[in-house]
Amino acid sequence: METEMESRKRARLEEEEVRRRNNVYKVAVVGARWPALRELEEMVLGTAQEEEEEETRKSEEEEDDEELVQSEASPSQPPPIKRAAWLDEDDELEEEVDMKHRFRSNLMRGDAESTMSKEKVQQRMREDFQKSMGGAPSWAVSGGRKSPTDEEEEEEEGNQDDLLKRTGTFVASSDSLPSGILKMKKCLHANAARPSEDRLSSVQFHPSAQVVMTAGLDCSLSLFQVDGKTNPKIQSVHLDRFPVHKACFSCHGDAVIATSLKNKMFYVYDMMEGRVTPVHAVRGLNEGRVKEFSVCPEGGALLLTGTRGYLHTLTLKTKEVVSSVKMNGEVSGVAFSHDGSKVFASSEEGEVYVWDVRTNRCLNKFLDDGCVRSTCIATSPNGHYLACGSQAGVVNIYSQEACLNSANPRPLKAVMNLLTSVTSLTFNPTSEILAMASRAEDEAVRLVHLASLSVFSNFPVSKRKFLHRTFSMHFSPHSAFFSLANNKGHAPLLRLLHYKSF
């Protein structure tokens, strides 16, 4: 028997049906009498057929809502398992994996696990990953419902993906060298094909070819092709009973000049003809030995460092001194300006002289700020900076313009990262890096970022001792490589990844 509620519902539906039929009949009668009125009513209220369709649509929506509520109340069913698109027969083979390899040794939990099956290795890697992530990430859990937060994150990631699909450059890479961390890679030693049997005293890259030269106390000069992988030897020249104190390429790179520790004689090695020429005497030179020198940027001349403050200009064509200048105290360092028109020379007392090359006139003189004993000096290729090193380990970086015009210039920065005497200073060709080193201690090398006047924090590399005591440093013509000469007879080579060309 039907209940009272059902009977009331059925009666209400019958009444609504009777009322609807009466309305339809009245509309038909009125429409027959006034057709315009009927058309207006259909336009505003719709026809009877449209009303029936609207009621049917509402009832279907109510049924869908009831089904959705029932599905949410019932426990979720796991999604159907998808079958693989193809099967690889090699995956079914049971293969033992060698766990002693350096990429997999960290997965071992004992000597008994020297070999493991592929399934166990995958499980061990999965466990390690989940442990490092603090549990299984949500994207790795199948069948779980996503929270609103996850959906928002997915929507945001989708927007980012859409952004990346567009064409055009959003962020352009900077051409200037960034500070803080220097991106670099350690390469095979530059002279690995022929290590020196004694201390290396000089290392220098060729000004135009992809070649590096090394020289040392084993009485030899060696040339190597630089590729960063094998660095094959090109040629090696032995100088009988002549331990090399300093060796440099000529201005155009067609010759190598080498001096020794206690000899007045020096050698010129002509690379084009393969001929070694000893220079026993220099006309007009009254010095007991020829040890320190600098190559003039204009070519064809050398600037020899003499005793008692003398600087001598020597022509390579006639092997004679054409001019000399004298400063107070012993000369501790010499550096040419970028155009070769001026010479910056420092004395052991800390005074810096600026000489005009053509007239031999002293343009300016100043005292290196806070210097007790000067040791070396260097100028930047772009003509902006001057660096002065001291026995206390301090390197003062000046503006060259201030050094030319002021009697008491103030340094832009006093770098105090070295604790022993500064013995080597060199700028890279783009004037973005200043390398400074001390031969008194191992690893006593620092690289300064000149734009920010800060030291790169990742050089030298901690816990990897490979620099040892450095006697010479040099950058390749476009700064892609950096090499050092140390007391172990090696020339460590570094690839600076910011620079693309050799």
Side-chain angles (χ1 to χ4, degrees):
M1 294 179 67
E2 60 181 4
T3 61
E4 183 179 358
M5 185 177 294
E6 291 176 352
S7 63
R8 288 180 181 178
K9 185 176 181 181
R10 185 168 54 82
R12 186 171 63 255
L13 292 175
E14 290 176 356
E15 290 177 0
E16 290 179 355
E17 180 66 20
V18 172
R19 192 182 302 111
R20 186 184 65 80
R21 289 176 181 176
N22 290 335
N23 290 336
V24 171
Y25 174 74
K26 292 177 181 179
V27 168
V29 172
V30 173
R33 295 179 180 178
W34 299 289
L37 180 63
R38 181 178 180 183
E39 292 178 3
L40 178 62
E41 186 176 4
E42 288 180 356
M43 289 174 61
V44 176
L45 303 177
T47 62
Q49 183 179 0
E50 290 176 353
E51 292 181 0
E52 291 179 359
E53 292 177 356
E54 181 67 20
E55 291 180 359
T56 304
R57 185 181 61 80
K58 290 183 179 179
S59 62
E60 290 177 354
E61 289 180 355
E62 292 177 357
E63 292 177 358
D64 293 340
D65 293 340
E66 291 179 359
E67 292 178 359
L68 179 61
V69 171
Q70 291 178 0
S71 63
E72 290 180 352
S74 61
S76 59
Q77 299 294 330
I81 300 175
K82 296 181 180 180
R83 299 182 62 183
W86 69 85
L87 296 177
D88 192 348
E89 297 178 356
D90 294 338
D91 292 342
E92 300 178 358
L93 300 177
E94 294 185 1
E95 181 181 352
E96 294 293 326
V97 181
D98 182 16
M99 300 301 295
K100 294 182 179 179
H101 192 276
R102 60 191 182 96
F103 292 151
R104 295 185 287 269
S105 59
N106 59 328
L107 299 175
M108 294 175 57
R109 296 179 182 174
D111 296 336
E113 294 184 343
S114 58
T115 58
M116 294 172 62
S117 63
K118 290 195 298 184
E119 291 77 8
K120 194 170 182 180
V121 172
Q122 292 176 359
Q123 179 63 25
R124 188 66 55 81
M125 294 174 68
R126 189 179 297 110
E127 292 174 357
D128 262 21
F129 175 76
Q130 293 181 2
K131 184 178 179 181
S132 63
M133 293 290 292
S138 59
W139 54 263
V141 180
S142 60
R145 293 185 60 84
K146 297 178 181 177
S147 63
T149 306
D150 295 337
E151 292 177 356
E152 291 177 1
E153 291 178 355
E154 285 189 0
E155 184 178 356
E156 185 177 353
E157 291 176 359
N159 294 336
Q160 293 176 357
D161 292 341
D162 293 339
L163 182 67
L164 295 176
K165 289 177 183 177
R166 302 176 189 173
T167 59
T169 302
F170 294 96
V171 180
S173 59
S174 175
D175 292 334
S176 60
L177 179 69
S179 61
I181 302 296
L182 180 63
K183 294 182 180 180
M184 58 186 175
K185 182 178 69 174
K186 182 182 176 183
C187 303
L188 187 70
H189 289 337
N191 65 337
R194 187 196 178 280
S196 176
E197 298 176 358
D198 206 331
R199 168 170 64 85
L200 277 183
S201 57
S202 297
V203 61
Q204 188 182 13
F205 290 93
H206 193 275
S208 57
Q210 199 161 332
V211 174
V212 66
M213 178 267 299
T214 63
L217 301 186
D218 62 346
C219 307
S220 64
L221 294 170
S222 299
L223 300 174
F224 304 89
Q225 183 181 356
V226 180
D227 59 7
K229 297 178 181 179
T230 58
N231 303 326
K233 186 184 76 171
I234 299 174
Q235 192 175 10
S236 185
V237 178
H238 181 75
L239 306 176
D240 189 32
R241 293 181 295 178
F242 193 84
V244 179
H245 170 72
K246 186 174 182 178
C248 285
F249 285 109
S250 61
C251 179
H252 303 293
D254 53 354
V256 178
I257 300 98
T259 61
S260 189
L261 295 170
K262 299 179 181 180
N263 292 344
K264 189 176 181 179
M265 177 188 71
F266 63 93
Y267 281 96
V268 178
Y269 169 49
D270 192 323
M271 297 175 60
M272 305 305 294
E273 298 181 4
R275 183 179 71 251
V276 179
T277 304
V279 180
H280 294 280
V282 176
R283 186 184 304 172
L285 182 64
N286 298 319
E287 297 288 344
R289 61 182 180 180
V290 176
K291 183 178 178 182
E292 296 289 344
F293 69 95
S294 299
V295 178
C296 297
E298 293 183 347
L302 301 179
L303 187 63
L304 305 180
T305 301
T307 57
R308 301 182 302 278
Y310 276 99
L311 294 172
H312 308 283
T313 303
L314 171 114
T315 60
L316 290 174
K317 185 176 182 180
T318 61
K319 308 296 189 298
E320 64 180 349
V321 173
V322 294
S323 65
S324 298
V325 295
K326 186 181 186 303
M327 54 190 290
N328 297 329
E330 293 291 335
V331 180
S332 60
V334 175
F336 280 92
S337 61
H338 66 289
D339 56 0
S341 63
K342 303 176 187 65
V343 173
F344 294 84
S346 61
S347 67
E348 291 184 351
E349 287 74 18
E351 288 183 318
V352 179
Y353 292 75
V354 185
W355 301 92
D356 185 275
V357 173
R358 293 177 177 84
T359 63
N360 292 332
R361 185 170 61 91
C362 182
L363 302 177
N364 194 19
K365 182 178 73 170
F366 64 91
L367 187 65
D368 185 14
D369 186 68
C371 178
V372 177
R373 187 175 185 274
S374 179
T375 53
C376 54
I377 192 171
T379 55
S380 63
N382 64 357
H384 292 171
Y385 301 102
L386 173 73
C388 300
S390 66
Q391 192 177 29
V394 180
V395 176
N396 286 330
I397 302 176
Y398 294 90
S399 166
Q400 276 194 34
E401 184 179 358
C403 295
L404 291 172
N405 302 321
S406 174
N408 188 26
R410 307 298 298 177
L412 302 174
K413 177 76 173 182
V415 185
M416 303 182 182
N417 292 72
L418 295 179
L419 303 179
T420 52
S421 177
V422 183
T423 54
S424 298
L425 289 172
T426 183
F427 288 87
N428 79 317
T430 63
S431 301
E432 294 178 300
I433 302 174
L434 169 63
M436 54 186 193
S438 172
R439 69 182 66 162
E441 294 290 341
D442 290 341
E443 305 290 302
V445 183
R446 298 293 183 271
L447 299 180
V448 181
H449 182 256
L450 290 171
S452 62
L453 296 175
S454 60
V455 176
F456 288 102
S457 59
N458 64 326
F459 187 88
V461 182
S462 60
K463 298 181 181 179
R464 293 186 182 179
K465 186 175 180 181
F466 72 99
L467 296 181
H468 302 287
R469 300 193 180 192
T470 300
F471 285 79
S472 178
M473 306 177 294
H474 202 243
F475 291 90
S476 60
H478 294 94
S479 304
F481 289 93
F482 175 59
S483 186
L484 311 95
N486 63 30
N487 63 330
K488 302 293 183 180
H490 299 145
L493 184 67
L494 295 171
R495 173 73 171 90
L496 306 186
L497 302 179
H498 174 78
Y499 302 100
K500 307 304 179 185
S501 302
F502 177 79

